[in-house]
Every structure is written in structure tokens, then in C-alpha cells.
Amino acid sequence: LLGFLRERALLDDTLVLLISDNGASAEGGPQGSHNEHRFTHDLLDDPAQLLARADELGGHRAYNHYAWGWAWAGNTPFRLWKRFAWLGGVRTPLIAHWPRRIERGGAVRAQFCHAVDLFPTVLEAAGIERPASVAGVAQRALDGASLLPCLASDESPAPRDTQYFEMLGSRAIYHAGWKATTDHVGSQLAIERALVTGSHDFDKDRWSLFQLEDDFSEARDLADTEPERLAKLVALWWSEAGRNQVLPLEDSLLARAAALVKPMFGLRTSVELRPGAGPVSEDALPPLFGGFSVTAELEVGGEPVAGVIAALGDWTNGWAIYCLDGRAVVALNICGEVYRIAANESLGRGAHSLRFEFVRRPAGGGKAVLSLRDRVLAEGEIPVSLPMRWQIGGAGLLIGRDRGFPVCDDYTPPFPFSGTLRRVLLEIAGRPRRDAEREVATALRHE
């Protein structure tokens, strides 16, 4: 990008802002992980298996993540890491490059700023006044302020003096050079709650106090010597949290992640897809972790049918329904562990309704059933629960084919379905199917 701007003689007139999104990540756990999806589900790698697959690290078979020790090193000299409001989680580098306006390159600025200040900075740099409304929708006020004065001079005051922080129950407040931070350790990873010192109860959280102008790394806790100042900062945090709709507090990783991205089309109980669809974002699908069914309407010709009917994710986390040599197969790859259910008989000529259903048990795990109409072809017990989300990177669901990496080694993408695929219906298990025509008719009657 910079090379292109330089070739076009645009680099000197372009404001480039480079920022890290958070502190170093500790999502590999204390020993590292071959598959980061395990972090989301509070699972640790077995050390023996991790060592046995060490040669795969950095390759396409792994979705690896470094161990805590590297997070500590990456955050030196700060405490803790991403997902915490200590400086190890929230103090990150910001680099601004704009030769036409920044007279002394390579200088360091010490003024406090936050990610919310970047948008106002870009607006002012571009000479754009933020509209009060867009398409008739009134715009909310911005908390951020432009950093251009700070870029021009290291003597310019900070654009703002107050900023709250909250991440999975970890809380902090910055005000006029002082920062107060709680010792809360949320319901994220069992190993963190066991090994990271701190409170697990909001009512028992301890607030620490630091004067950042003289204490770059939160090394000297002044809470006991400045109790009045600390009390004012804590009260300010609650005020800012209320104003920014942080309350009520929730420190569960799964609960927060589930609420973070709302379903694209509302909470669906089913979705019907046709051949060629995809990749369909998980956000557009019904929530599948509580159990789901897939019904495929298809036709088989003369040759033994083969190919992918539906596939989501890959060999780090995902599921696929496909045919091999005429036989239907379901593979559930849960954090790298493959659970496979295969029919013993081939699909004959003609039209078929192939159905897979996973019913979750209250204690975890569940039963997987593959059937043809009402006749069971294969079934099996899955000892673990389905992932809350199959892919962090959002590989998406594909119908009638796959792409990228497969869900398991049974096939190589794209492996298109060789028969005729009419439609695929995904439904939440145990939920009654919605009758759209009846709902519309009822709504019209009420009008």
C-alpha cells in the first residue's frame, strides 16, 4: 500500500494510522495450543499430543497459538494481556505517518488517547464536518476528539482527560493522568481463574490506583495512600459505564461472545438454502450449538453419488455432510477431533430426503442420527457438546461443494456433489417449524 502511494506521489499527502487492536494474546493457554478454537471452549491441549504434532505448527494443518510466556514477553513491562483492562490489555502502539503535516518524524508523543479518537482525527484531517444526521437518522455524539494538535506538537494537551475501560468484567478508568484498575478475573478460562491472581466476584473486586505520568507500567499501587482519589475514580467509572450502556456487568466469555454479534436476520429457527449458495456467514444461520438438523432434498442418477452436500468450517473446527461411493457420511470436527457417522448402504437411483440430526443432552454431548426419510441409516454418540461458533475467521457454509481446507481427510475440496441437489434445510433441533404463510395471514387479519 505504501509503495503504491509512493509511486503515485501521494504518500506525503496521506495520513496513515497504524494501531494494534489490543495487548498480546494469551489464548494459547499456559503451554500453547495446536488449535486456537479450543480456547473458545475452555479446552487445554494434551501436552503429549501437542508435542507429537509440533512439526505441524505454522503449517496449514494447525491453527496454532503461542503460550502465556510469549504473551508476557510481548507485553513487557505491562501486567496481563488481551481481555483485561490492565495496561497489558489496553496500552498499544499508535503510529501516525503524514510527512506533509508532521514536521518532525520519529518523535514520541506521551498524550493519552484512545481508539475512539481516531475517527475524529480522520474527519478533521480530511476537512469533513460530521453530519448531525445520515439518511434521516440522528447521529450519536462522539466521545473521541481529534489528535491532530498532538501530532503537531508534543506540548499540546491531550484531547480528552477521561476514558473508561471494561472487558469481560475487568474494569478500569483513566482520568487526568491517573488510572484505577480492578483485579477481576472473569468466567473465561478455568485455567486463568485457577492461576491468575484476582477476584471472581464483582462485589469483592479490589481497585488499584496508579499515576501513569510517573508510573509507565502500573508498578506502584497508590490505592492505600490515595483513598479519596480512588473513590472518586471508582464513582466516575460507574457514571461512565452507565452512560455507555455497560451495565449490567457480565464476565462470561460465552455470554458476551453470543451477544456481541447479533444474527444478521434476527433469531432464526430455520433457513433454506439452494445449490450454489455460499459462503453463508454463521451470523445468517440459526444457532447450531444447542442441536440442529439438516435435511437435503436430492436426486441420484446412474453412478454412485459423491460430493459435498453441505460444509461449514474446516479441519480445525467444522462439519460436513457428503457422499462417498454412494454412501452418505457426516463428519463433525470439534476443535480438531473428528466424529464420523457413515451409512452402510448406498443411495439408490431416484429422489431422496436425507436428514442428519444432532440432539444435545443436558449434561453435554448428544446423539447424532443420519436417516433416509424415516429410516435410520447410521447413528452414534458424540461425547462432547458442539462449539458455540464453528469458525472464528468465518469460513462460511457452502452448499453442493466445499473450498479451502476440508472438514476431514475423506475428501479434497471442492468435491462438488455429483447428483442433483434441490435444497438444504437447516433447523434448530427441537424447535417447531415456522409456518410463514400462516403467520402472514394472521398478521393481515389483525390489520
Side-chain angles (χ1 to χ4, degrees), residues 36-60:
E36 190 185 337
H37 287 295
R38 299 179 67 82
F39 153 79
T40 313
H41 301 91
D42 200 9
L43 300 172
L44 293 178
D45 288 57
D46 177 80
Q49 293 183 6
L50 189 60
L51 288 173
R53 304 185 69 179
D55 289 344
E56 295 178 3
L57 299 178
H60 61 272

Side-chain angles (χ1 to χ4, degrees), residues 19-27 65-66 74-75 80-84 86-93 115 167:
I19 186 172
S20 170
D21 62 340
N22 43 246
S25 170
E27 289 155 21
H65 199 295
Y66 53 67
N75 274 340
L80 288 179
W81 38 62
K82 173 184 174 182
R83 296 178 286 107
F84 287 89
W86 294 94
L87 288 179
V90 301
R91 172 160 272 174
T92 62
M167 171 58 71

Side-chain angles (χ1 to χ4, degrees), residues 296-306 309 323 326 346-354 372-373 375 417-423:
E297 305 291 344
L298 53 90
E299 292 183 16
V300 176
E303 297 295 328
V305 68
I309 294 171
C323 290
S346 296
L347 295 176
R349 286 174 173 267
H352 299 284
S353 179
L354 183 67
L372 199 62
R373 297 291 179 186
R375 184 165 58 87
F417 187 66
S418 64
T420 301
L421 191 57
R422 299 299 183 190
R423 68 169 190 152

